[in-house]
């Protein structure tokens, strides 16, 4: 399953922000930024990040931008992803492959 592969990759590279829920696994990157993986979505890799201003053209097609007050997964909270919770702008990515995830991680 693509989501499980994505979580394994993230867990092997980055520190978890907290014990994952059934729905969200949060990770802290060496830069201090956080990403959160939606664990229950299996059609693609659904990932939350801080807004990425200069995302490459080949990845922009997979991004939805959320304003600070736009509702989102309730598990994006102060425990699992404080920098991605309601009140902060975020990008929501629907990535088709682990290769696309790795490409995105190379720019955050």
């Amino acid at each position: 399953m693509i989501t499980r592969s994505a979580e394994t990759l993230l867990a092997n590279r980055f520190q978890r922000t907290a014990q994952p829920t059934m729905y969200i696994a949060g990770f802290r990157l060496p830069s201090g930024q956080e990403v959160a993986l939606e664990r229950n979505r299996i059609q693609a890799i659904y990932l939350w990040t801080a807004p990425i201003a200069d995302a490459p053209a080949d990845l922009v097609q997979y991004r939805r931008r959320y304003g600070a007050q736009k509702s989102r997964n309730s598990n994006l909270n102060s425990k699992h992803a404080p920098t991605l919770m309601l009140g902060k702008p975020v990008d929501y990515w629907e990535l088709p492959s682990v290769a696309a995830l790795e490409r995105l991680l190379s720019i955050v």
Side-chain angles (χ1 to χ4, degrees):
M1 171 172 20
I2 192 169
T3 304
R4 193 168 294 150
S5 297
E7 185 169 358
T8 299
L9 182 144
L10 291 165
N12 286 336
R13 290 190 188 176
F14 309 117
Q15 174 187 358
R16 288 189 186 268
T17 56
Q19 189 69 14
T21 69
M22 188 163 74
Y23 305 105
I24 288 286
F27 299 90
R28 187 163 296 108
L29 283 56
S31 65
Q33 290 188 19
E34 296 170 349
V35 299
L37 175 71
E38 291 204 3
R39 301 176 82 212
N40 60 323
R41 308 281 307 267
I42 59 171
Q43 304 85 351
I45 298 167
Y46 293 84
L47 192 76
W48 298 88
T49 68
I52 299 174
D54 297 326
D58 63 315
L59 291 179
V60 169
Q61 64 184 320
Y62 306 122
R63 175 180 70 191
R64 275 187 275 163
R65 181 138 296 160
Y66 278 56
Q69 298 310 312
K70 183 169 170 66
S71 65
R72 61 201 70 184
N73 189 306
S74 63
N75 287 277
L76 294 173
N77 54 38
S78 60
K79 180 179 180 182
H80 294 99
T83 64
L84 305 175
M85 59 192 278
L86 188 63
K88 316 265 185 189
V90 294
D91 284 345
Y92 185 50
W93 301 87
E94 183 180 341
L95 302 165
S97 65
V98 173
L101 173 61
E102 290 190 88
R103 176 127 165 80
L104 180 64
L105 292 173
S106 73
I107 63 165
V108 293

